[in-house]
C-alpha cells in the first residue's frame, strides 16, 4: 500500500467539488478475496488495513493536529433507537468501528478515515470521507 497515494486521494477530496448529497466517500484500498472464507486470513488482512489507516492518520495528525479516534458504537446505538443521524455519519457507523476525523483549517469540510471491516461477507476497505456536515 502506498501512503503517498492515499494522501493524494485525501487532498483531492479536500479540494474537490461535492455531489448534491454534500459528502463523498472513496475506497483508498480494498481487499480481494478476503470475505468470510478464511477467518485467519481475514483477521490478518483487517489488521493490515488498520495499520495503513494508522500510518495515514499519523500523517494527517501532523498536518491538522492530533485527534482522538471516534468510536462508532454510540452512533450505532443512536441509530438503533431511531435517532436521525445525518449522512455520511450514519452509514459510516454501520461500516466501521472507529474513525479518525479532522476539520482541516479553512476548508469548511470534515475528513473521516476508517476501515470498513464489520461485515464478514464483504471485502475489507480503507475509506476516506469528506463532508460539510459536522459529526453527530
Amino acid at each position: 500500500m502506498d501512503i503517498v497515494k492515499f494522501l493524494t486521494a485525501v487532498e483531492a477530496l479536500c479540494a474537490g467539488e461535492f455531489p448534491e448529497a454534500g459528502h463523498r466517500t472513496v475506497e483508498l484500498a480494498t481487499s480481494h478475496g478476503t470475505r468470510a472464507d478464511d477467518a485467519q486470513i481475514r483477521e490478518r488482512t483487517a489488521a493490515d488495513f488498520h495499520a495503513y489507516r494508522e500510518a495515514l492518520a499519523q500523517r494527517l495528525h501532523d498536518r491538522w493536529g492530533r485527534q482522538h479516534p471516534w468510536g462508532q458504537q454510540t452512533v450505532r446505538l443512536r441509530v438503533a433507537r431511531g435517532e436521525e443521524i445525518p449522512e455520511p455519519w450514519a452509514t459510516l457507523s454501520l461500516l466501521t468501528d472507529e474513525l479518525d476525523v479532522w476539520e482541516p483549517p479553512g476548508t469548511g469540510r470534515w475528513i473521516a478515515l476508517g476501515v470498513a471491516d464489520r461485515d464478514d461477507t464483504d471485502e475489507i476497505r480503507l475509506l476516506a470521507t469528506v463532508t460539510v456536515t459536522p459529526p453527530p
Side-chain angles (χ1 to χ4, degrees):
M1 300 284 163
D2 186 353
I3 297 299
V4 173
K5 178 177 139 187
F6 297 159
L7 281 171
T8 301
V10 169
E11 288 169 357
L13 280 175
C14 287
E17 292 186 27
F18 276 91
E20 196 172 300
H23 59 86
R24 180 177 310 143
T25 298
V26 297
E27 294 180 6
L28 299 176
T30 303
S31 65
H32 296 285
T34 57
R35 295 180 180 170
D37 301 341
D38 185 328
Q40 288 181 331
I41 291 173
R42 183 169 175 81
E43 188 175 312
R44 282 194 309 268
T45 302
D48 288 344
F49 273 62
H50 284 280
Y52 300 140
R53 187 197 95 217
E54 290 173 19
L56 180 54
Q58 182 57 54
R59 300 277 180 93
L60 296 174
H61 289 319
D62 292 345
R63 288 181 183 191
W64 299 324
R66 178 158 297 281
Q67 304 296 320
H68 294 288
W70 292 57
Q72 296 298 292
Q73 184 173 2
T74 301
V75 177
R76 284 193 295 275
L77 290 171
R78 291 168 62 190
V79 168
R81 287 193 310 233
E83 186 175 336
E84 183 87 20
I85 302 294
E87 289 298 341
W89 306 108
T91 297
L92 289 171
S93 75
L94 299 175
L95 297 173
T96 66
D97 284 325
E98 186 174 85
L99 293 172
D100 289 291
V101 179
W102 301 268
E103 183 183 19
T107 65
R109 298 176 182 202
W110 292 86
I111 303 294
L113 186 65
V115 176
D117 63 348
R118 293 184 43 79
D119 184 351
D120 287 343
T121 63
D122 199 3
E123 299 293 341
I124 299 168
R125 296 169 289 147
L126 177 60
L127 302 176
T129 297
V130 62
T131 182
V132 294
T133 306

